[in-house]
Each structure stands twice: as structure tokens, then as C-alpha cells.
Amino acid sequence: MTENKGKVAIVTGAAKNIGRATCDSLSKLGFNVLVHANSDKEGAMETLKIIKKNGVNADIFIGDLTNEDTSRHLVDAGSKLGNVSILVNNASQREFNKFDDMSYDQWRFVLSINLDTLFHTCKAVIPQMKKNNWGRIVNLGGLSAHISAIGRAHVITSKSAVVGFSRALAMEYAEVGITVNTVVPGLIDTVRGASAGRSLVHPSHSNPPIGRKGYPVEVATMISNLCGPNSDFITGQTIHVNGGSYFP
């Protein structure tokens, strides 16, 4: 799409799953894309191959975004592809630790990835968006923050805070053309790390009422809709993509 020519989308945690699908969806809208991964360079390169088939400029960035300097370097790398206009904070950690056994280090580890990285990336990207009087920030929430779960006190706390953080920034930057929203995926058919736990217990359905798990592209489509030119009037919202697992 010509109106997005020269605009850059930065997507964190984009080596697979929802992050990869989001990169693909945004590139199909004409955005240049910077693919971030914490350490999975092979996965990031695979995402890059998919994006480049859509005819846009793209690159990868590998780094730990809990570090403030790394987040600034991320935005600098995005600027080499064009005008950084979109930030999708998808990177997150979903550990499984019963609270009785949870250490403070485990608590802080999850919060640093799920919450501190948002602080660093938004601090780095918002000045550029303010100069252009236009920007889109989409932060990824979590279903467990709304319906709870066993062994996820750190995840639930951090993902609940993401909603508040998004609302705060939405209010603060509404007058300068920057929208900030939270997209909350439900039970999505993704590849999860071993640390997420094999037997996550939600006080809900094993499958959504719609009868299946969601697909990453379905979440990516919602994210892309919030980044389009006709989304100016949507900000500060928490939007669920969950097949009926939860009704806010």
C-alpha cells in the first residue's frame, strides 16, 4: 500500500508464532519491517525470508531488550530502513512456577521481559513518532491476566500491568497522533518453550467455545488493523482475540 511506503514497523519477539505472522501481515501492507529476536537468529532469518517475498525492505536485530541501550540500538536499526512508525511489543516470557516455589529471581526475570522491555522500547521509539505526529504502538497482553491461572503469578502480574501501561501512554500521547492499544491473544496454536509448563491450568475451556485454538495469523490481522491508516480513533483499548474464551 503506497501510503505506508517508507514507514517502518518494529516487531519484537518475531522469530516465530504471532511475531512472525505479524511481520508477514505488516509487510503485506507495505511497511518495511525490523524483525527482533532475543537470541533465535535462525528463526529471525526465516521470518526475514518470508517478509522479503512481499517486496519490502527488512532486516533482523538480535538482542536483549531488558537492556536500555539495546532498545535504543533497536530503534536506530529500524531507522536505517525508513521512518519508524510502528512498534509491536510481542516479546514475552511465560514461565510456569508455583508461588510456593517461586524465587524472587524468577519473579523479576519474567517481569523484566514482559514489562521492563515495554518501558525501554517505548522510551526509545516515541520521540521519533512525536516528530512525525503519527505512530502506532501495540502491546501484547495475555489471557491469563483476565481469567487467572495456576503457576503464573509473575506472568499474570506483568500482563495485567501491560494493560495499564498501554492506557497510560494512550492518554499521554493522544494529542500527538500516537495510538497505543493492547491485543490479548487467547489459546493460540503456537510452539511454546519448555519453561511455559506442559499443564497450564486455566479455570476455563481446554478449547475456546468456537471449537478450536486460534491461529497466529488471526492475532496478526488484528494487530495490523490497529496499525492501519483508518485506526486513528482506536486508542487505549484492550482487544481480545480468543474465540469466546473470555468476554470482557
Side-chain angles (χ1 to χ4, degrees):
M1 298 176 68
T2 57
E3 64 264 34
N4 298 327
K5 186 177 178 62
K7 291 182 178 179
V8 177
I10 296 175
V11 183
T12 71
K16 58 184 178 182
N17 296 332
I18 292 172
R20 175 177 290 176
T22 299
C23 289
D24 185 33
S25 183
L26 289 171
S27 65
K28 287 176 179 175
L29 293 178
F31 292 103
N32 296 333
V33 180
L34 181 64
V35 179
H36 163 264
N38 181 61
S39 58
D40 187 0
K41 184 176 181 179
E42 182 179 350
M45 289 299 296
E46 184 62 33
T47 302
L48 184 65
K49 291 178 183 177
I50 294 170
I51 295 170
K52 287 196 169 181
K53 291 179 181 177
N54 297 326
V56 300
N57 292 327
D59 203 352
I60 67 169
F61 182 94
I62 308 298
D64 178 4
L65 299 180
T66 63
N67 181 286
E68 182 179 3
D69 289 338
T70 304
S71 294
R72 286 199 296 265
H73 295 324
L74 172 78
V75 177
D76 290 342
S79 297
K80 294 178 182 179
L81 296 173
N83 189 2
V84 178
S85 304
I86 292 170
L87 171 64
V88 179
N89 278 310
N90 172 68
S92 64
Q93 186 71 23
R94 293 175 176 84
E95 296 278 329
F96 181 88
N97 304 108
K98 293 287 189 68
F99 191 69
D100 282 351
D101 304 320
M102 186 184 299
S103 69
Y104 181 68
D105 285 344
Q106 289 171 325
W107 168 268
R108 280 303 320 161
F109 174 67
V110 171
L111 264 67
S112 67
I113 295 174
N114 292 358
L115 193 57
D116 293 352
T117 58
L118 272 64
F119 178 87
H120 293 317
T121 56
C122 288
K123 286 284 282 188
V125 79
I126 284 175
Q128 291 196 28
M129 293 180 175
K130 286 174 66 177
K131 288 180 182 179
N132 299 316
N133 291 309
W134 198 91
R136 299 287 182 267
I137 298 173
V138 180
N139 299 317
L140 272 289
L143 180 62
S144 62
H146 300 270
I147 65 174
S148 198
I150 294 171
R152 290 290 183 92
H154 36 20
V155 176
I156 291 168
T157 299
S158 59
K159 290 299 186 179
S160 296
V162 167
V163 173
F165 179 74
S166 298
R167 289 173 178 170
L169 294 193
M171 182 66 72
E172 194 158 343
Y173 295 104
E175 293 185 351
V176 292
I178 301 173
T179 67
V180 188
N181 292 286
T182 303
V183 169
V184 183
L187 296 173
I188 307 299
D189 190 9
T190 58
V191 177
R192 292 178 178 267
S195 63
R198 294 182 178 179
S199 57
L200 174 63
V201 179
H202 282 300
S204 183
H205 312 279
S206 58
N207 275 311
I210 201 169
R212 63 170 175 82
K213 293 181 179 180
Y215 305 122
V217 67
E218 293 174 308
V219 182
T221 299
M222 177 57 69
I223 294 170
S224 297
N225 288 342
L226 292 171
C227 296
N230 298 319
S231 60
D232 291 358
F233 206 58
I234 307 172
T235 194
Q237 302 305 302
T238 303
I239 301 171
H240 291 261
V241 185
N242 62 36
S245 293
Y246 170 75
F247 299 97

